[in-house]
Amino acid sequence: MPTLLLVRHGRSTANTAGILAGWTPGVDLDDTGREQAAALAGRLAGILLVQAVSSPLERCRQTLEPLLAVRPELAGPERGGSAPGEPALDERLGECHYGDWTGRPLAELAKEPLWRTVQDHAAAAAFPGGESLRELSHRTVGAVREWNEKVAAEHGEDAVWIACSHGDVIKAVVADALGLHLDHFQRINVDPCSVTAIRYTARRPFVLRMGDSGDLTSLAPRPAGPGRPGGPGAPDGDPASSGDAVVGGSTGTA
């Protein structure tokens, strides 16, 4: 089966604001996110790609724009896009439907009783007015498996394809590939514009890269700031001293 390069969208305006964007329309990449997207094309220059797929949300499509500008063969109607330069869009790779949590500050959501379920027992977590994390895992893993079969049929078992999606989506796909129970998917961290590579075979998937951004600055200690009292330690997007993972994905660098 083919190799999938899962790219998380570049840093967005909601990431830097500490807001859980979900499916809110009009959430764009911020300046750093656009720089990350521009660098992505160079990072992938030596890799022959055969297909590009994206979440329909703006921040993912914007992340792929620089890549598709130099690799137009990956987009357009012949690749499932709605127009020249457009990647194939798949709603199943879209962000989690957070329901009533959508658009709320992460610092506020961390005080909700459901936060602890999301952190410690993700398989039991269901967002009010939205979907459960089990449903998220089912639809996203199903989408990846279906695209793998399509790519293999059209381009062969050794083909490589790329999909741009969201933090919790990628974590769910990685957890499945690693054979992790969904309760453990919060152990996975995926920075903005990072690349996670999974090679699928008939027997098992192999996780070749995970959250590779080519940038080690996110490993440095965090200074104190909004949502980060005393430095590392609050649910604004960085792995915290409390052990909590951010819902929706980290901001990556400070």
Side-chain angles (χ1 to χ4, degrees):
M1 295 290 283
T3 297
L4 165 62
L5 304 186
L6 268 172
V7 176
R8 184 181 168 205
H9 62 78
R11 199 176 75 175
S12 73
T13 54
N15 293 147
T16 48
I19 300 295
L20 188 62
W23 282 74
T24 303
V27 175
D28 297 324
L29 299 184
D30 66 8
D31 289 342
T32 294
R34 292 185 183 280
E35 292 174 0
Q36 292 169 335
L40 179 65
R43 292 165 59 198
L44 298 175
I47 301 175
L48 177 62
L49 301 170
V50 301
Q51 175 73 57
V53 184
S54 178
S55 156
L57 294 170
E58 291 95 332
R59 52 196 184 273
C60 288
R61 294 161 68 180
Q62 290 169 357
T63 298
L64 288 182
E65 280 178 4
L67 173 66
L68 298 183
V70 297
R71 308 279 283 273
E73 70 278 5
L74 299 178
E78 63 276 15
R79 286 288 171 263
S82 60
E86 284 289 321
L89 303 181
D90 192 331
E91 290 199 358
R92 296 172 300 172
L93 295 177
E95 180 63 284
C96 182
H97 292 279
Y98 294 115
D100 296 346
W101 277 33
T102 302
R104 294 176 59 189
L106 289 165
E108 177 183 297
L109 292 171
K111 300 173 184 177
E112 295 278 353
L114 180 59
W115 183 270
R116 288 264 54 88
T117 305
V118 172
Q119 294 295 323
D120 302 332
H121 193 13
F127 297 99
E131 67 181 333
S132 69
L133 288 174
R134 289 194 314 276
E135 291 169 326
L136 169 73
S137 176
H138 179 74
R139 68 169 165 90
T140 56
V141 171
V144 165
R145 298 283 183 171
E146 186 176 306
W147 275 104
N148 272 335
E149 292 176 3
K150 177 179 172 62
V151 169
E154 294 181 2
H155 303 282
E157 297 289 334
D158 294 328
V160 182
W161 63 288
I162 187 169
C164 189
S165 190
H166 307 266
D168 282 348
V169 171
I170 295 172
K171 287 160 63 174
V173 173
V174 171
D176 171 76
L178 291 173
L180 287 179
H181 193 284
L182 188 60
D183 283 350
H184 301 315
F185 99 134
Q186 298 291 24
R187 300 182 182 195
I188 299 165
N189 186 68
V190 182
D191 282 344
C193 224
S194 62
V195 177
T196 293
I198 305 173
R199 179 163 60 87
Y200 287 85
T201 75
R203 298 191 66 179
R204 63 179 61 86
F206 292 87
V207 178
L208 308 178
R209 297 284 189 280
M210 190 162 64
D212 188 344
S213 65
D215 178 6
L216 300 180
T217 58
S218 63
L219 302 179
R222 291 289 187 261
R228 293 196 299 271
D236 75 327
D238 303 314
S241 60
S242 66
D244 283 357
V246 72
V247 178
S250 70
T251 57
T253 56

